[in-house]
Amino acid sequence: MSAAKSTSSVHDVGADKPPFGSRSDRFSVICAFISFSFFQSRFLTDESQVWSQNAWDHVPPPDDQMETINASLSKQRLTPVPDADKPKYNEKPARHWDNFYKMNSSNFFRNRKWLHNEFPELVEAAQSEAGPKMIAEIGCGAGNSVFPLLASNKNPHLQLRAYDYSSHAVKLVQNNELYLSPPAGSIHAAVWDLTSAEGLPVGLEPETVDIVILVFVFSALHPDEWGRAISNIYKMLKPGGLVVMRDYGRHDLTQLRFKAGRLLDDNFYIRGDKTRVYFFELDELSLLFTGSKALANQITDRTTEEVEDDSTHASPVASPGPHSQEASPVPQEPSGSSDVLSPVPPSVATPHTPDLKIETDVHPNLSKPLANCPPHPLFATEQLGVDRRLLVNRKRQLKMYRVWMQGKFRKLSS
């Protein structure tokens, strides 16, 4: 059993770079490092032994992964969503999220305790000596990010704000016992659309928020809405305020599993429950927040492997409906304390694997100034990384690749 993970899976671009080691020459092109320590590693040197252990550290995608990706994407492009049907999915997305939360009780969602490892700034804000702080989670859902923070909060001056455009999700938050009687500080939840043209939520003044949390939020937006979303985030943050985010990555397992009639646009899909999802490249996230593509020394690529029981992997994530073959809006997320996941130490961190030649195209909206958004630069990148996780089902001899993007962006002073 490996020790519980207690540090972030991505590297702070402002920190000294640790010594770099690799298992093959193809890992020496882009420097990328992981901030792990005090752990032992297990290396896969014989592919035939892949099923013999519970976990293998930083296993790269196989050389034939592009064949799998291209085959899946080619099938999807043969039968996209008809143009005449696209408006009904894009006009009132909050309605579909309302239906999702009505179908699932608050017990369906796992608390995101891993956020405290990935973003220590959240923990620091909850310390008794931190002083006045305001943290806003946008796309709060059932409160699975704010409630773990609230439960451990020792700061009487911490204000938590939880916003979602699903009124049913907000009701779930408001009915939680911690919401009704917080142990310290305060919490307020309200219905608000991040892409609103009417400005910030009622009662929230500009430049009053210290940290904005965005967990699987931008992927739910139409690309035409990105500019307004960035603008609203920028408005609410104090100068020097921080955005912490995690979202779906390009060619994640859930993207490749979409069937016919689900492709709305390139890398943009409609699920069986009519909620939408976009799969990002790192350059796209960098362009959204900074106006520039990511620099090589800003990118971290973490690849690990873990085992899933056969009973848990008929489908890799919970499905919201009996006929849905695609992933639900609630992703299978890292727990931060997996018994089968061995973190990667800094001396053997895994960078990009450029020989895979995976496309790095960005959305056309990002090749020009974003509509309804102040001109860049608006933020500076503090952290930007890929978390690639190989899920292994030993009984069925299955390998399933998950890809998540993670970043921290600091608002520049005016």
Side-chain angles (χ1 to χ4, degrees):
M1 180 179 295
S2 62
K5 177 173 165 249
S6 59
T7 54
S8 174
S9 60
V10 294
H11 175 61
D12 180 352
V13 298
D16 292 336
K17 296 180 176 61
F20 176 68
S22 64
R23 290 183 293 137
S24 67
D25 292 340
R26 69 177 182 168
F27 289 160
S28 62
V29 179
I30 298 177
C31 293
F33 304 95
I34 313 292
S35 310
F36 282 121
S37 59
F38 310 119
F39 293 98
Q40 299 298 316
S41 296
R42 180 184 294 140
F43 302 101
L44 180 61
T45 57
D46 182 353
E47 179 65 25
S48 66
Q49 299 299 309
V50 66
W51 312 110
S52 66
Q53 299 290 341
N54 285 343
W56 297 103
D57 293 318
H58 52 89
V59 180
D63 293 335
D64 62 354
Q65 179 70 353
M66 275 308 302
E67 296 179 13
T68 301
I69 292 171
N70 289 331
S72 296
L73 298 184
S74 294
K75 289 181 181 179
Q76 294 169 0
R77 289 168 182 153
L78 290 175
T79 53
V81 174
D83 289 341
D85 292 342
K86 291 180 181 180
K88 70 180 181 182
Y89 298 125
N90 291 322
E91 286 175 354
K92 295 181 179 180
R95 175 183 60 189
H96 304 307
W97 282 100
D98 262 337
N99 291 335
F100 171 78
Y101 285 106
K102 288 176 182 177
M103 291 170 59
N104 300 283
S105 69
S106 58
N107 293 331
F108 174 84
F109 310 99
R110 291 187 295 179
N111 282 340
R112 293 164 173 160
K113 296 179 181 179
W114 54 266
L115 283 173
H116 298 183
N117 291 335
E118 299 299 332
F119 306 122
E121 296 85 357
L122 299 175
V123 177
E124 293 168 5
Q127 299 305 306
S128 59
E129 68 279 5
K133 297 288 182 181
M134 183 181 292
I135 297 175
E137 184 183 15
I138 303 172
C140 65
N144 298 85
S145 296
V146 292
F147 285 134
L149 184 60
L150 185 61
S152 60
N153 178 40
K154 299 176 182 178
N155 183 359
H157 305 293
L158 176 63
Q159 300 180 63
L160 295 175
R161 297 290 182 265
Y163 301 111
D164 203 294
Y165 63 9
S166 165
S167 60
H168 198 81
V170 172
K171 289 178 182 177
L172 291 175
V173 173
Q174 293 173 336
N175 290 329
N176 189 289
E177 291 183 3
L178 278 172
Y179 185 91
L180 299 173
S181 182
S186 64
I187 182 170
H188 173 74
V191 177
W192 180 66
D193 185 348
L194 173 60
T195 66
S196 173
E198 299 176 2
L200 300 182
V202 175
L204 183 67
E205 296 297 323
E207 298 193 339
T208 57
V209 176
D210 294 280
I211 303 175
V212 168
I213 303 173
L214 302 166
V215 180
F216 301 101
V217 171
F218 266 79
S219 55
L221 304 179
H222 190 286
D224 290 346
E225 300 173 314
W226 290 344
R228 188 89 67 186
I230 293 292
S231 177
N232 283 331
I233 293 167
Y234 184 81
K235 287 178 184 176
M236 68 172 59
L237 276 170
K238 295 177 180 178
L242 187 67
V243 174
V244 298
M245 70 170 302
R246 190 172 178 91
D247 222 317
Y248 290 106
R250 188 70 49 85
H251 305 144
D252 176 62
L253 169 69
T254 55
Q255 179 179 11
L256 303 183
R257 291 179 73 241
F258 277 103
K259 306 301 182 182
R262 298 298 183 190
L263 182 65
L264 284 167
D265 200 351
D266 284 348
N267 307 301
F268 192 44
Y269 299 82
I270 192 74
R271 298 185 179 94
D273 58 10
K274 298 182 175 60
T275 60
R276 306 170 304 186
V277 58
Y278 186 88
F279 295 85
F280 285 98
E281 288 278 8
L282 283 178
D283 277 338
E284 292 178 314
L285 294 181
S286 183
L287 284 164
L288 274 171
F289 285 92
T290 72
S292 302
K293 289 187 176 182
L295 301 175
N297 67 351
Q298 293 175 325
I299 299 173
T300 298
D301 195 332
R302 171 196 182 216
T303 308
T304 53
E305 179 172 334
E306 67 179 83
V307 169
E308 291 290 327
D309 293 334
D310 186 65
S311 60
T312 65
H313 245 295
S315 175
V317 289
S319 177
H323 304 297
S324 173
Q325 298 184 48
E326 293 79 36
S328 81
V330 179
Q332 181 171 335
E333 300 168 357
S335 66
S337 59
S338 171
D339 289 339
V340 296
L341 177 59
S342 297
V344 185
S347 62
V348 290
T350 306
H352 286 292
T353 51
D355 54 327
L356 289 177
K357 294 184 172 59
I358 293 178
E359 63 175 289
T360 58
D361 293 341
V362 300
H363 193 278
N365 285 8
L366 297 173
S367 64
K368 55 188 177 183
L370 283 170
N372 304 308
C373 183
H376 281 298
L378 300 176
F379 296 85
T381 301
E382 290 200 352
Q383 186 187 83
L384 189 58
V386 185
D387 186 354
R388 303 180 189 273
R389 183 160 300 182
L390 177 54
L391 304 180
V392 178
N393 185 310
R394 287 192 288 180
K395 182 176 180 180
R396 299 174 62 193
Q397 300 282 285
L398 296 176
K399 296 181 180 181
M400 295 154 284
Y401 293 88
R402 301 303 311 271
V403 184
W404 294 290
M405 303 292 170
Q406 183 170 305
K408 293 195 292 189
F409 302 92
R410 183 78 62 179
K411 179 180 175 177
L412 299 174
S413 299
S414 302

